[in-house]
Each structure stands twice: as C-alpha cells, then as structure tokens.
C-alpha cells in the first residue's frame, strides 16, 4: 500500500490543492483531493485485467469549484433536500438557502462543504480530511468539526468513515456524491448497468422531490430492485414517481437497518464485468440515475451528460429535519455523528 501526493491546482485564497493517490498491490488506485474532500478517481481492473477510471470528475482542482453536478464531493452539513428551506430545532426556526424551487438542496450550492478546502492528513493506506464550521453557518447551529477518512485495502474495498461533533444540537447528514460508471467514466450511458438493492421500501416524494412522510413498499412497481435488473429497464415507465424526478432519484429504505454495516447494493457492468458491492451503517440510499447531468467536459476531455453516471448516496432520509417519523439526523452535544460506507470492487 502507498499514498502519493501531487499538485492539483490552487484554491482562490492561494492554498495549494493536492491530489492524494492511494494504491494497493492488486492494481487498484483511488485519488482524492482537498476541495470538497472529493473522490476524483477510482481505477480498478475488468475481467480482462484492464484498468479504467470508473467515477466522473475533473482533471484540476479548480474545476471542482464549479462542478454543477456535484461530482465526487462530500456534501454537508446536510445532504439532499429540506422542504421549505427551513426546519425547527429546539424551539428555533432555522432558515436555509432557497436554491431548489422553494426548498433547500445540499445545504448551499456555492458555500456548502462540497466547495470548502479540507485539511488533509496522510497515513499508510488512507487520507483523512477535516474542516471546521462556525455556529449558525448556512443555517445550522453549533460550532462543528467534521472529517472523512478514505482508506483502501488489499481486497479492493474503499472505505469512507465520517465523523462529526458540535457544541450544540445540529443537523449532520453527510454523503459522498460520486457518480459511478463501471464501464469507465467516459463510456456513456449507465442504463445497461444491473442494480440490486437490499431495500424493499422507499420514501415517495412530491413533485419537488420532498418526501411525503410515507414509507412505501416497492414490490410490483418500477421502484423494486430487490432482484437485479438493468437500470434502464423501467426508468421511463408511466409511473408518477419517475415522472416527477425524470427517472430514478429517490431515497430507498435499507432493509433491517440497525446502525451496523450492511450490504445494500450490487452494481454490475455487463461489458467489462466490473462489480461494485456497497455497504453502509446508514438507513437510506439516494439512487440517482444522472437524469439531469449538465453536458460538460470532464477528465481527459470526456463529455459527460444525460445518465453517464449514477449515484448511490448513503444518507439519513431527505427532509428528516421536518419528518419526526424518519430516523433522526440530529447530533451534537454528547451525540457525535459517525457513519461508514464501503464500496468494494470486483469482477464477474
């Protein structure tokens, strides 16, 4: 195992952006950077032994300061949506940036943690990023400290370990917004990828993608991925939830969630034979099929667009801050935030 460090650009305040590349003996490489603690590259072999980069992203750190589709970044303090761009906590109403219709998406599109500079610490097979945020920033109480550690092992498992503390009760709901294409980041549509989810229920949402509060069985609908099927098989079905979101962009409820590490997804690319298994300690996953990726130039001149990558964003449910019936995403004081998500890469 090794970690190498190379220049990756300059932050607006003059700090140097670095790229940290973790390599194992199996030919797998993972690269991460200070901006948004972003996952920049994941290189892994296919069934013929050929390696390819399987996450969408950019060649320079400065491009992550634009990044309209949130490629690879850590979202915080709150990932996903909060209805009405406001919530009440301990008797105080906190107002957020109105940036997604009348709602809030990903805390703040320009000032959220996905565009912050994270300090880095390098270890033998891992990189830990950390930042601090002051009380009230972006509409979230508490002086907060947050961190994420990316570690790679010899079994081709990439582990994301998150930690957060605050001196006041606050919202912590962190996720990584990587877009995967297991055929290669530059190989076009992910609709032929096969996906299986250990999630027999989901949280239906309104036309603004805010959950209604219901937890609904997926059986008998296009939302059912309990048996593996191609992503594109039913994505255009005449089904209200899919029409609202332009395809899959919903929160699935992970079966038998109890806070322990559970396998919740298996993603397979038919041509390359690459497989990604995913585990998490969190109660939900936002499966987003890349329905609204803006046409843009990414790594090595690749042009990304409609459904050229998909996300499996582990999380507390969207709008949990306003839905007491959902698992609670309030942390702080004596209750630290900790979660783990693992993406393991193999072949079939």
């Amino acid at each position: 195992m090794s970690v190498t460090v190379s220049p990756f650009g300059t932050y607006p305040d003059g700090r140097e952006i670095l790229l940290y590349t973790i390599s194992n003996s199996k030919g797998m490489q993972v690269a991460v950077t200070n901006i948004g603690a972003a996952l920049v590259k994941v290189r892994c072999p296919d069934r013929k032994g050929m390696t390819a980069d399987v996450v969408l992203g950019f060649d320079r750190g400065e491009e992550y300061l634009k990044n309209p589709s949130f490629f690879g970044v850590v979202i915080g303090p709150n990932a996903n949506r909060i209805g009405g761009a406001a919530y009440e906590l301990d008797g105080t109403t906190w107002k957020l940036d109105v940036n997604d219709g009348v709602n809030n998406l990903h805390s703040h599109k320009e000032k959220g943690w996905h565009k912050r500079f994270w300090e880095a610490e390098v270890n033998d097979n891992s990189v830990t990023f950390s930042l601090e945020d002051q009380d009230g920033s972006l509409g979230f109480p508490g002086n907060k400290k947050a961190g994420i550690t990316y570690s790679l092992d010899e079994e081709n498992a990439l582990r994301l370990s998150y930690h957060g503390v605050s001196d006041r009760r606050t919202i912590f709901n962190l996720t990584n917004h990587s877009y995967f294409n297991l055929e290669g980041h530059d190989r076009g549509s992910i609709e032929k990828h096969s996906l299986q989810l250990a999630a027999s229920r989901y949280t239906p949402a309104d036309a603004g993608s805010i959950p209604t509060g219901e937890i609904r069985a997926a059986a008998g609908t296009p939302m059912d991925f309990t048996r593996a099927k191609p992503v594109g098989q039913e994505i255009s079905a005449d089904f209200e939830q899919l029409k609202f979101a332009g395809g899959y962009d919903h929160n699935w409820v992970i079966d038998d969630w109890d806070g322990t590490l559970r396998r919740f997804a298996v993603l397979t690319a038919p041509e390359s034979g690459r497989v990604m298994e995913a585990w998490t300690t969190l109660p939900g996953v936002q499966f987003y099929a890349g329905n609204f990726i803006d046409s843009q130039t990414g790594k090595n001149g690749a042009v990304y667009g409609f459904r050229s990558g998909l996300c499996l964003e582990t999380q507390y449910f969207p709008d949990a801050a306003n839905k007491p019936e959902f698992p609670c995403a309030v942390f702080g004081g004596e209750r630290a935030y900790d979660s783990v998500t693992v993406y393991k890469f193999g072949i079939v």
Side-chain angles (χ1 to χ4, degrees):
M1 302 294 295
S2 65
V3 181
T4 59
V5 183
S6 55
F8 199 54
T10 305
Y11 200 60
D13 64 7
R15 281 180 286 182
E16 186 178 21
I17 304 168
L18 297 172
L19 188 69
Y20 305 85
T21 302
I22 312 169
S23 305
N24 69 11
S25 64
K26 302 291 181 64
M28 183 169 171
Q29 289 188 329
V30 171
V32 291
T33 193
N34 307 92
I35 305 306
L39 180 59
V40 176
K41 297 178 184 178
V42 174
R43 295 192 63 86
C44 54
D46 65 8
R47 63 165 65 100
K48 297 179 180 179
M50 302 296 291
T51 61
D53 185 359
V54 298
V55 294
L56 278 58
F58 302 107
D59 288 325
R60 290 188 55 79
E62 290 91 343
E63 294 174 279
Y64 284 89
L65 293 171
K66 301 173 185 176
N67 196 9
S69 299
F70 303 92
F71 294 148
V73 290
V74 170
I75 307 292
N78 182 75
N80 216 306
R81 292 171 173 86
I82 292 180
Y87 64 96
E88 184 177 321
L89 181 60
D90 297 335
T92 298
T93 297
W94 294 89
K95 295 184 178 181
L96 308 174
D97 189 48
V98 181
N99 62 13
D100 188 61
V102 298
N103 306 312
N104 174 266
L105 174 65
H106 296 332
S107 301
H108 197 293
K109 290 184 179 179
E110 297 304 321
K111 300 178 182 178
W113 291 358
H114 63 288
K115 292 191 176 179
R116 289 276 304 273
F117 186 100
W118 295 60
E119 299 294 339
E121 179 182 339
V122 178
N123 295 294
D124 291 343
N125 71 329
S126 67
V127 180
T128 297
F129 294 104
S130 60
L131 60 68
E132 298 184 6
D133 208 5
Q134 68 270 29
D135 185 19
S137 173
L138 307 182
F140 298 93
N143 293 296
K144 297 169 285 294
K145 296 180 180 179
I148 177 173
T149 298
Y150 291 96
S151 59
L152 178 65
D153 67 19
E154 291 291 349
E155 302 304 316
N156 287 358
L158 172 61
R159 185 181 184 97
L160 285 63
S161 303
Y162 300 85
H163 180 67
V165 295
S166 171
D167 61 3
R168 294 178 63 185
R169 279 164 40 94
T170 192
I171 305 294
F172 270 118
N173 186 17
L174 307 182
T175 197
N176 179 276
H177 209 298
S178 286
Y179 290 74
F180 297 97
N181 186 326
L182 298 185
E183 302 291 10
H185 75 100
D186 54 356
R187 291 292 303 278
S189 175
I190 47 75
E191 290 188 29
K192 292 182 180 179
H193 281 53
S194 172
L195 177 64
Q196 182 174 14
L197 296 175
S200 57
R201 300 173 298 162
Y202 71 102
T203 53
D206 63 20
S209 293
I210 301 299
T212 63
E214 179 187 359
I215 294 177
R216 185 182 295 175
T221 78
M223 311 300 281
D224 189 357
F225 282 88
T226 54
R227 293 186 178 182
K229 68 180 180 184
V231 169
Q233 180 171 303
E234 297 181 280
I235 201 169
S236 299
D238 185 10
F239 186 71
E240 183 180 60
Q241 288 293 305
L242 295 178
K243 289 184 176 299
F244 278 165
Y248 296 113
D249 187 11
H250 298 78
N251 172 71
W252 270 259
V253 178
I254 293 171
D255 289 340
D256 302 317
W257 173 69
D258 61 2
T260 61
L261 193 64
R262 290 183 175 275
R263 191 177 76 164
F264 69 90
V266 180
L267 181 69
T268 307
E271 293 183 24
S272 66
R274 292 189 184 90
V275 177
M276 183 180 79
E277 298 177 82
W279 284 259
T280 192
T281 60
L282 290 168
V285 57
Q286 188 83 8
F287 162 40
Y288 172 47
N291 311 310
F292 296 101
I293 299 175
D294 298 326
S295 181
Q296 59 201 284
T297 301
K299 289 179 285 191
N300 300 318
V303 177
Y304 304 141
F306 181 65
R307 295 184 184 153
S308 56
L310 65 81
C311 303
L312 294 170
E313 305 159 61
T314 55
Q315 61 184 4
Y316 284 90
F317 303 168
D319 204 34
N322 291 314
K323 299 286 193 303
E325 62 270 36
F326 286 171
C328 181
V330 176
F331 296 87
E334 296 182 356
R335 188 184 187 215
Y337 170 88
D338 287 286
S339 73
V340 174
T341 295
V342 177
Y343 300 110
K344 184 177 180 181
F345 298 85
I347 52 174
V348 289

